[in-house]
Amino acid sequence: MIVVLKPGRDAQEEREVSRLLRDAAGVRVTATTWKPTGEELLVCDRGVAADLVDQLTAMSAVERVVPSTGTMRLAGRSFSATDRIVDVAGVAIGGQGFVVAAGPCAVESAEQLEDAATAVTLSAARLLRGGAYKPRTSPYSFQGLGVRGLEMLAAQRKRTGLPVVTEVMSPADVELVAGFADMLQIGTRNMQNFPLLHEVGASGKPVLLKRGMAATIEEWLLAAEHILRHGDGNVVLCERGIRTFEPLTRFTLDLSAVPAVKRLSHLPVIVDPSHGTGHQYLVKPLALAAAAVGADGLLIDVHATPSAALCDGQQALSGAQFDELMGALTPVLAAVGRPLAAAPEATRCR
Ligand code: PEP
Ligand code: MN
């Protein structure tokens, strides 16, 4: 349950609300500000009986009581009926415009990143993706270029005007990565790394939270809740496939999660059909399907020469294949009443 306090209340009135919650109902409360609206909240550790909700609602310091009894207090629909729009350096995710983030799985070199960045910019991607810190299953695989990779991403942001989304793997690296990135990505393997979630929440940067490969939708939304509790509400969810018994695809892309999450939460949801399927030939059909089921955008691996990629080349689209996908998206989006997000002023490379 959340008690939203009135802006002009006096201290005595507020103390009465806290006293009633603590003493009469035994509820533990945490005071916090919901930065998107500036509302001041008392987040309760559980719900209370209906008559107490009525009593609280009638108090002069109380704006409204959100009687969510579940654990998704900030991420849940009951907290906000309006869809959240997350601003990533001028690119709005969760509004009318459908946002495509694209780029190489890993930043490999300045030239490789530049080629991919040019291709995705020319084909109307709105965000540039690329990993500098790579969570690789094998310690012998390419681990990413680290800070040098971040510098290359920042250089491509400057050249193309596209805001950058990149992964951060450790709480200790959050400040560093946030200094280069416009959006911090939490990978599937870190969805429940709680210290990392708290740190990215506090960083002030928007966060792209990938679904854990073995996480239920509730666990995923509770991971978002951890970020929201420490941050300013700018979380975008990313469905990227879950582990099932099917070995033909790398993961099983759970597109039912998109409308399911939209029913439960006000947060935007995008889909990653590259990691979700692991195969180039499946990326376009699943991307179109994601648009059709109401996703707010896509995350797509693009590499100028997929066969030469140091990471995940089998699922990367070439520039030409990406362009074809973007062309195919337009009629599907039109059918569900959405346009591709317009280019912000700063986008170059045209
Ligand atoms: C990625 O997007 O580069 C990535 C590593 O994805 P995931 O965490 O979904 O495997
Ligand atoms: Mn990858």
Side-chain angles (χ1 to χ4, degrees):
M1 185 178 82
I2 293 175
V3 178
V4 183
L5 296 169
K6 272 209 181 106
R9 70 195 177 278
D10 67 35
Q12 172 61 24
E13 290 174 325
E14 182 172 338
R15 269 198 298 278
E16 271 170 40
V17 177
S18 303
R19 195 192 51 73
L20 188 64
L21 285 165
R22 288 197 186 103
D23 301 350
V27 170
R28 287 209 330 225
V29 297
T30 318
T32 184
T33 303
W34 177 242
K35 293 201 190 116
T37 57
E39 287 175 314
E40 292 189 62
L41 316 176
L42 297 176
V43 181
C44 306
D45 68 343
R46 58 183 177 77
V48 298
D51 58 339
L52 189 53
V53 171
D54 292 343
Q55 206 181 330
L56 286 161
T57 307
M59 293 175 85
S60 53
V62 174
E63 182 74 42
R64 63 195 151 93
V65 177
V66 186
S68 51
T69 44
T71 41
M72 275 166 241
R73 284 163 211 165
L74 298 170
R77 265 283 170 217
S78 56
F79 182 62
S80 171
T82 15
D83 289 344
R84 175 117 189 88
I85 298 177
V86 172
D87 178 346
V88 184
V91 174
I93 309 182
Q96 261 293 101
F98 187 84
V99 174
V100 179
C105 179
V107 178
E108 300 168 14
S109 69
E111 298 68 33
Q112 169 257 10
L113 184 63
E114 179 171 334
D115 290 349
T118 301
V120 305
T121 309
L122 291 173
S123 300
R126 293 295 171 244
L127 298 172
L128 176 63
R129 66 142 289 148
Y133 294 88
K134 294 304 303 175
R136 303 307 300 278
T137 301
S138 163
Y140 305 109
S141 303
F142 175 60
Q143 305 290 307
L145 297 179
V147 184
R148 281 198 302 130
L150 294 176
E151 287 165 355
M152 291 169 192
L153 284 164
Q156 290 310 315
R157 172 187 39 217
K158 190 160 175 222
R159 192 178 67 87
T160 61
L162 296 191
V164 160
V165 52
T166 195
E167 178 159 356
V168 57
M169 299 200 310
S170 149
D173 290 338
V174 169
E175 201 180 331
L176 171 76
V177 179
F180 289 92
D182 298 292
M183 182 178 220
L184 300 174
Q185 179 173 321
I186 298 296
T188 190
R189 294 159 185 84
N190 271 316
M191 189 204 80
Q192 286 187 318
N193 180 339
F194 300 114
L196 180 61
L197 300 182
H198 301 167
E199 204 63 32
V200 293
S203 73
K205 292 283 175 181
V207 179
L208 183 63
L209 178 65
K210 289 196 141 191
R211 180 179 181 179
M213 62 179 83
T216 64
I217 289 172
E218 188 184 16
E219 286 162 344
W220 185 22
L221 289 172
L222 285 172
E225 186 80 19
H226 273 270
I227 302 172
L228 295 173
R229 278 279 286 111
H230 289 80
D232 53 10
N234 290 319
V235 175
V236 174
L237 300 161
C238 179
E239 163 59 40
R240 49 79 67 212
I242 50 175
R243 262 280 144 76
T244 68
F245 50 81
E246 177 53 65
L248 189 74
T249 47
R250 187 178 180 190
F251 295 95
T252 296
L253 192 65
D254 179 12
L255 288 181
S256 61
V258 176
V261 162
K262 287 199 165 281
R263 186 184 165 95
L264 292 170
S265 175
H266 50 88
L267 297 174
V269 192
I270 70 167
V271 170
D272 175 353
S274 306
H275 291 83
T277 65
H279 296 280
Q280 207 175 57
Y281 79 96
L282 288 172
V283 173
K284 180 175 153 194
L286 273 297
L288 299 182
V293 294
D296 295 299
L298 295 168
L299 187 69
I300 306 281
D301 279 6
V302 175
H303 196 290
T305 322
S307 58
L310 296 181
C311 182
D312 288 350
Q314 71 292 344
Q315 69 193 33
L317 301 185
S318 65
Q321 288 168 324
F322 179 67
D323 196 60
E324 189 192 316
L325 161 60
M326 293 299 277
L329 267 176
T330 309
V332 176
L333 287 171
V336 292
R338 296 182 86 155
L340 270 173
E345 285 295 297
T347 311
R348 288 176 283 273
C349 252
R350 332 195 114 250

